[in-house]
């Protein structure tokens, strides 16, 4: 491995040359079944012909244009996103972190525009992940992402998801601007919030004039079988939402969605991006959106999720010495392990199965939404074979 690259990643010792659907191939033709999908990003699989066509067609026209010009693709994608969500307006960036950054700035600016600039506090949660910019790591409050980077930014409060009394008290404080939460925690270990939790927080935020921000960077774009995970629970819509990952099907693009009211401070000059929403990104994201938002795609994702999580629960029943439980929502599946999750990921690779890590000693399965039922069955066989191998490698109880 190269020492010319910053050592911030723990990379698996394997190199892929090409992909097709849910499969990745090494140069010497070894096939791996991909339940990582770029961390829920290749939502439509690798080398999807619809996305390849959209990309190559746009590549011959215009790649990039400054946002000082109209970009019709932005208008088209914003039309689709707002027609299919709570939102009225959209800002396009290049990543999840930038979508979060825009969400946090939009929330503070809203209160400033309302003549309440003292409302700056943002409530975040233990186990959350919002990306790696300064604002994002402070909003998450996870020590591993903050330590060594200087003082904490002011105005970020971290609470536990289970402490509703503390949450209620923090929402009611006059300096609180916003509350940010993932409807299904991803990196933290596939923890799905209940409809009751979301409804209670929605109600309290509305009462206190606090903006509710959802981070659906990982849980959105069909991952749970709805376009956005919170849409399983009508009445829990946020004021602002960050989306990225599968939005571009692997092409870097992110979006911050908001109601017109919440975005009222985001006037000319308040925010911007050079690359955000460029024609290449928009062409791919529009094609991805039209494919993901089809009822048949969402229904397939929901059915596939039933296959996989049902199958994993059966395996958990047979391997209580390896698996603690199966959790998550839709195709954002977490398997909490008894044995070390990094070791399990390596053992799965030996079975030519790719799974992602996650907090709380989980591995995550985040397959493409359009994985076939046959491939899902194969993933379960390989997962069980991994459990067998991990069990065999365990030291015998004394
Ligand atoms: C991946 C992720 C982010 C950050 O996205 P980047 O594109 O890596 O900046 C933010 N929030 C959640 C929930 C994510 O899963």
């Amino acid at each position: 491995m190269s020492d010319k690259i910053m050592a911030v990643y723990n990379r698996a010792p394997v190199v892929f040359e090409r992909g097709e659907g849910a499969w990745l191939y090494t140069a010497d033709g070894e096939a791996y079944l991909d339940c990582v999908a770029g961390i829920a990003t290749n939502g439509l699989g690798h080398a999807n012909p619809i996305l390849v066509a959209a990309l190559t067609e746009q590549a011959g026209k215009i790649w990039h244009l400054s946002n000082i010009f109209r970009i019709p693709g932005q208008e088209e994608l914003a039309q689709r996103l707002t027609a299919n969500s709570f939102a009225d307006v959209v800002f396009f960036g290049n990543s999840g972190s930038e979508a979060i950054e825009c969400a946090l700035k939009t929330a503070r600016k809203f209160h400033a525009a309302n003549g309440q600039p003292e409302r700056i506090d943002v409530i975040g949660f233990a186990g959350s992940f919002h990306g790696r910019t300064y604002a994002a790591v402070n909003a998450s409050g996870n020590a591993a992402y903050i330590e060594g980077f200087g003082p904490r930014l002011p105005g970020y409060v971290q609470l536990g998801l289970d402490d509703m009394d503390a949450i209620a008290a923090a929402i009611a404080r006059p300096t609180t601007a916003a509350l940010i939460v993932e409807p299904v925690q991803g990196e933290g270990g596939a923890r799905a919030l209940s409809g009751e939790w979301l409804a209670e927080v929605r109600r309290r935020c509305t009462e206190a004039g606090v903006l509710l921000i959802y981070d659906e960077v990982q849980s959105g774009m069909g991952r749970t079988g709805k376009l956005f995970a919170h849409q399983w629970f009508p009445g829990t819509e946020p004021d602002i939402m960050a989306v990225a990952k599968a939005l571009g099907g692997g092409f870097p693009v992110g979006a911050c969605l908001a109601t017109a009211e919440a975005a009222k401070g985001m006037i000319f000059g308040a925010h911007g991006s050079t690359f955000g929403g460029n024609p290449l990104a928009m062409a791919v994201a529009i094609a991805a959106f039209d494919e993901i938002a089809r009822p048949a795609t969402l229904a397939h994702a929901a059915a596939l999720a039933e296959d996989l999580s049902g199958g994993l629960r059966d395996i958990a029943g047979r391997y209580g010495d390896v698996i603690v439980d199966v959790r998550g929502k839709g195709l954002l599946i977490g398997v909490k392990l008894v044995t070390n999750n990094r070791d399990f990921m390596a053992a799965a690779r030996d079975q030519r199965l790719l799974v992602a890590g996650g907090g709380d000693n989980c591995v995550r399965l985040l397959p493409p939404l359009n994985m076939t039922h046959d491939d899902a069955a194969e993933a379960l066989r390989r997962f069980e074979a991994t459990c067998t191998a991990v069990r065999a490698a365990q030291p015998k109880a004394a």
Side-chain angles (χ1 to χ4, degrees), residues 18 25 62 75 77 170 238 252 265 268 319 327 398:
R18 66 186 180 88
Y25 300 90
I62 301 178
E75 297 169 20
L77 184 56
F268 168 65
Y319 290 84
R327 53 165 92 157

Side-chain angles (χ1 to χ4, degrees), residues 95-98 100 129-131 182 187 215 217-218 244-245:
S95 66
S97 299
E98 285 171 272
I100 291 293
F129 181 76
H130 300 302
E182 300 157 78
E187 300 305 300
D215 180 347
V217 168
Q218 188 161 155
K245 291 212 161 86

